[in-house]
Amino acid sequence: MIKKLKPLAINLGLVCGSFIFAILIGEIGLRLAGIEAPLPPDPESETLAYRVDDPHRGWAPRANAVTVWAGEGERTGVQMNSSGMRDQERTVNKPENTYRIAFLGDSFVEAIHVPLEYTAAAIMEQKLAECSALNGKNVEVLNFGVQGYGTAQELMTLRHHVWQFSPDLVLLGFYPGNDIRNNYKPLEHDHFRPYFTLENGQWVIDNSFKDLTQLERDYYSTSRLDYLPRWLLENSRILQLIRQAEATAKQRQFEQDYEQTNINFYKEPPDENWEEAWNITEGLISLIQDEVKQQGVDFMVFTISDSYQVHPKLDKRQEFMEKYDIQDLFYPDKRIQALGEREDFTVFRLAEPLQKVAEEKGECLHGFENAFPCEGHWNRDGNRVAAELMSNQICQRITSQQVQKTNQTP
């Protein structure tokens, strides 16, 4: 028996030795050729992150974080205040003679793509200071926007972070481009967030995200090799290339999986998943409105434009609609407005007036030089025009409320 095992052991040793030798030769060859695939920042490294885990929302910006944004948009310094908002420093207690607005939303509201002073929230604060109906009050627009948030996370932001600042008005910036799928697990790929379901007429929260590991949070952004020790990946060119190949394949799969998802919000729900996602989204917006009114605070919704809704060229909009069989670019905005009419809250649709401005000036309100032209997030002009439109609507609302109050006075 031992005699039979000895040749097997020798052969196995030769195979293993040859494999290890081949790896060493491969590593040496890749290094001599200067071929490498640098790893992304370690997701476990808090020193590299602008965000931290949040027990209610999944993640949140790190308080007092200072970093440089180098993605889509302008390369700009980004600093969070001590409350974890992309905003100037704010006191928790509202100053006297101040009208304070809490602005909830996702990356369009946070607007990390432009310098702070060019964000819609900052410009609104300046514009509303000119509103005569505020009688010379100081105006503060607190920016509670966070990249990637859906309506469920905005509801949790309201519950756990907004009320301590005593706002007079809560604004919800609703972006149909991804807010709907963000709210429904079967349509969303990043599950490190809370979800809500309606059970027996009651909204029930699903906090299972708390049990996910860092590598389980988003299938498309991680590799099976990420489970290996970080030092091994950092020092092996072969493993780096294998990881890069898997990441590239996952990115292609992501694009295939979400091409249709990323335009389905323009249409009547095409299947049960989209019908349920819309129902949950509408329910969450109504729930936010209910909780705001319970606090005796005013509430408004602004539907944020998607880039193709406001493309300055009519032929580009028509080409997009024909390609994806879209009947009405403003379907999601109209649906949210219909919800507001049913539930008695104000909805202002930004897309149509933004389209008019873009068309008249022949300028893109979305998009940056380092990304796709006229696509993506609001640029400086987009933030400015949106802020002007929202400020006008808010000022008109305050003026109307004062008139009604005066007429009701005996």
Side-chain angles (χ1 to χ4, degrees), residues 3-22:
K3 290 183 178 180
K4 292 182 178 179
L5 290 176
K6 189 173 181 180
L8 180 63
I10 292 173
N11 290 334
L12 184 61
L14 289 173
V15 170
C16 291
S18 298
F19 181 69
I20 293 172
F21 181 73

Side-chain angles (χ1 to χ4, degrees), residues 4 22 42-43 54 75 102 128 138 142 155 165 172 190-191 201 215 241 247 260 283 308 337 339 394 405 410:
K4 292 182 178 179
D42 184 356
D54 184 278
R75 186 177 178 86
L128 284 169
N138 297 319
L142 277 58
L155 171 60
F165 290 92
L172 175 63
D190 184 354
H191 292 158
L215 296 177
L241 290 176
Q260 198 66 33
Y308 275 97
Q337 184 174 46
L339 173 68
I394 294 169
K405 190 174 182 179

Side-chain angles (χ1 to χ4, degrees), residues 151 174 180 183 203 269 275-289 331-332 334-340 342-343 345:
T151 316
F174 177 77
I180 303 161
N183 298 325
W203 287 103
E275 186 67 52
E276 184 64 11
W278 263 111
N279 290 338
I280 289 173
T281 297
E282 291 173 331
L284 291 176
I285 294 174
S286 298
L287 186 56
I288 290 175
Q289 182 230 197
Y331 166 78
K334 292 175 181 177
R335 180 159 178 164
I336 296 299
Q337 184 174 46
L339 173 68
R342 293 196 305 272
E343 299 295 329
F345 61 83

